[in-house]
Amino acid sequence: SPWKPVLLLLSPPAFSTSCPRCAKDRRLRAKRAISERQLTRYFVDQRKVRVVGGQGGGGGHSFYSEPRKIFGGPDGGNGGDGGHVIFKADQQMKSLSSVFPFYQGSHGERGGSKNCYGANGAHVYVKVPVGTLVKEDGRVVADLTQHGEEYVAAYGGAGGKGNRFFLSNENRAPTFFTPGEPGQERVLQLELKTTAHAGLVGFPNAGKSSLLRAISRAKPAVAAYPFTTLNPHVGIVHYQDYEQVAVADIPGLIKGAHLNRGLGTAFLKHIERCRFLLYVVDLSVPQPWLQLQDLRHELEAYEKGLSGRPCVVIGNKFDLAQSRINLPLLRERVAERVIALSALTGDNLEELLFHLRELYDTYVKTEQSRGQSPVKW
């Protein structure tokens, strides 16, 4: 096979200076573990922002005068333009928690004498995560899906005209000038939709977080109670040819999620950006195929056609005795491919990684045939 899935487990090396008296342990510090309750404070997927462009500078009002040239004429320059407020998609940003509720561009400077123009106001750049929707009055005005993509949220006002601008044959000494225009003012709603190649969809306690921990370096919380995961997590699966597949752990859904029950539509929207779906069902429960039917119903009720995306069914908790009995029954009632595995013991994870790469390669070829660039991590 040209590629093989690999799981990288690297221990941070220890570094020290050559002098034993001043040697220091410079090992890389492990990331502090943050619980789901604490992470809720940092992960924000909705923000209401008021943006105001900078005001333009007023025009200058002066007349040129020097010895032996008293009537030099008007020489007031134009004012500078106000700065814009610009949203910029940044791959390093993972949440809208750092976005403030108010931004304003810098004001332009006033025009000076001797036909000097005022300086333009500096633009204010607001970094937002990739996959951010910008809405105004419920209408989508921008969709930032690529790293470095920009959207001008509020334009700065134009600078005023100096009295030099109004010089004409009829008026050789104009005394009037115009003030700078105010900047554009808008109230926008920012909405984050997680951008990932694959989405783990399942009911609470189906083992989605455990599976993501097993195939990637992501560390979502795992516990023996429902709704352990309160926020989407994205893990990266590394392959030997340096391809990276992003897998998103979507919080557990329940019946009626499209009616905003449970965690509701707040996290159903994160599935919209996933290119293919990984349905995770608990093989140890009675009639696990009913879970798959309910999941597809919720996705289809939320958005038509969402359940028809390329998918694979993952039967988790295969290490339990009841799961081995339910597996052939599940395969009889499901037309899609069923991969039985155990996220706890790691059994049969390799088959999932191979099939995940096949889904990713199919997605890349489809996007390239359409003349579009696939999402890369």
Side-chain angles (χ1 to χ4, degrees), residues 206-270:
K208 301 184 300 299
S209 299
S210 300
L211 181 59
L212 187 66
R213 292 170 68 102
I215 63 177
S216 71
R217 294 179 181 176
K219 300 298 180 185
V222 175
Y225 55 85
F227 296 110
T228 308
T229 302
L230 301 176
N231 306 283
H233 291 265
V234 178
I236 307 300
V237 181
H238 298 266
Y239 287 88
Q240 197 172 18
D241 58 350
Y242 302 105
E243 284 288 353
Q244 299 179 358
V245 180
V247 181
D249 175 18
I250 308 300
L253 305 178
I254 63 172
K255 290 184 179 181
H258 68 282
L259 301 176
N260 214 18
R261 294 176 183 171
L263 296 177
T265 59
F267 295 105
L268 270 171
K269 62 187 178 184
H270 291 280

Side-chain angles (χ1 to χ4, degrees), residues 189-204:
Q189 294 83 31
L190 302 183
E191 184 177 314
L192 174 61
K193 293 186 178 181
T194 303
T195 302
H197 299 118
L200 294 173
V201 184
F203 282 92

Side-chain angles (χ1 to χ4, degrees), residues 10-23:
L10 301 178
S11 58
F15 298 92
S16 62
T17 59
S18 58
C19 177
R21 299 176 60 183
C22 58

